[in-house]
Amino acid sequence: GLSGTLHGDQQQLTIALTGSHTQLDLPTLFRAPLPVRRLQGQLQFQHQDNSWSLHSEQLLLNTPDIDTVTRLTLSQQHQGDLEIDLQTNFGNGESSYAERYYPAHIMEPELVAWLDRAIGPGLVPRGTLLLRGAAKDFPYDITHNGHFEVRFDVTDLQLDYLPDWPSLTIGEAEVRFHNNSLTIGLQRGRIYNSDVLPTTARIRTLDPTGPLEIKGLVEGPLADPVRLLAESPL
């Protein structure tokens, strides 16, 4: 499903790609090939002495579940560490299909299992991924010589965070992964028949997983906290 042109010499190669109805197969990251509805962009490869770089100013990749636009540079100087400089903007996503896009094969199995169970139907209208630094030091929580950050908005998301606890309906929230931490800023939501007012949830370290810290307010009928005490592990 790919077509394009290429031209170059011993030191530089430029590839212009277009494609539709193909797939992206990265078995060391994803559990299954990703269907690609549209692919378009230009890749520039340069090689000199023992150094090389691969650059794309705008690589458009759309799947049936999400649309993305990426700027990417990979480089290696004199057989040194692989350096990554990546920015991806994404949107029009559906959380029901999020499991396809987890790099599950480099994630903790317990985290993958929790995501598979907890994330229900919802929308991801927009988001950004930033990754900059040496690949070997990812996610930079120890060396602090790189930057990894994912921010995205979610709306109307069903979250079943723990068995036997009431599910949380997230009306509107921003999710932020930064290096090895997770922060959720919830603007509005519901538990049972109660409204969840602006609330912040944070996990300071994901590996090993730290405690979930929550600060916020719930407003609603007295019957809801009584029900929580009676039916949940509390």
Side-chain angles (χ1 to χ4, degrees):
L2 289 176
S3 62
T5 62
L6 65 89
H7 61 86
D9 54 30
Q10 291 180 337
Q11 296 182 341
Q12 180 172 309
L13 179 67
T14 300
I15 305 173
L17 287 174
T18 60
S20 61
H21 305 295
T22 182
Q23 64 181 18
L24 179 66
D25 190 5
L26 296 172
T28 59
L29 292 178
F30 303 118
R31 289 179 279 194
L34 301 178
V36 177
R37 186 174 56 192
R38 181 186 176 195
L39 173 65
Q40 183 175 342
Q42 183 171 284
L43 299 170
Q44 293 180 324
F45 178 82
Q46 291 184 321
H47 179 267
Q48 189 172 9
D49 298 329
N50 291 322
S51 302
W52 63 267
S53 66
L54 178 68
H55 177 74
S56 178
E57 192 62 33
Q58 182 172 306
L59 187 62
L60 185 149
L61 191 151
N62 296 343
T63 78
D65 314 312
I66 197 166
D67 299 334
T68 71
V69 179
T70 297
R71 177 192 55 78
L72 168 67
T73 299
L74 302 176
S75 61
Q76 187 178 44
Q77 304 293 325
H78 303 289
Q79 304 300 318
D81 297 331
L82 176 66
E83 296 284 334
I84 302 175
D85 186 354
L86 169 72
Q87 177 179 342
T88 297
N89 296 325
F90 55 89
N92 301 321
E94 297 186 20
S95 62
S96 299
Y97 304 103
E99 62 184 21
R100 298 179 179 178
Y101 303 94
Y102 305 143
H105 294 307
I106 60 171
M107 296 170 63
E108 290 293 326
E110 294 83 359
L111 176 58
V112 175
W114 181 82
L115 289 169
D116 287 345
R117 186 191 70 246
I119 304 298
L123 300 176
V124 181
R126 67 193 65 84
T128 301
L129 181 153
L130 297 172
L131 175 59
R132 184 177 296 116
K136 69 179 182 65
D137 294 329
F138 178 84
Y140 313 116
D141 55 313
I142 297 176
T143 61
H144 301 288
N145 64 348
H147 184 87
F148 169 68
E149 183 175 7
V150 180
R151 286 178 179 262
F152 58 92
D153 297 332
V154 295
T155 59
D156 301 324
L157 173 68
Q158 191 78 18
L159 184 66
D160 295 313
Y161 48 92
L162 277 177
D164 302 323
W165 288 80
S167 61
L168 170 64
T169 300
I170 298 176
E172 185 178 355
E174 182 189 59
V175 180
R176 180 182 184 236
F177 291 90
H178 179 230
N179 291 346
N180 194 34
S181 66
L182 167 65
T183 303
I184 301 174
L186 186 146
Q187 299 302 313
R188 57 183 177 87
R190 286 186 69 81
I191 294 181
Y192 295 143
N193 295 311
S194 297
D195 293 326
V196 181
L197 304 181
T199 295
T200 299
R202 184 180 185 190
I203 301 176
R204 296 179 183 271
T205 174
L206 293 171
D207 185 19
T209 304
L212 173 64
E213 305 167 9
I214 301 176
K215 183 178 181 180
L217 295 171
V218 177
E219 184 177 81
L222 181 61
D224 280 358
V226 174
R227 181 181 176 186
L228 182 66
L229 290 169
E231 297 180 4
S232 76
L234 286 174

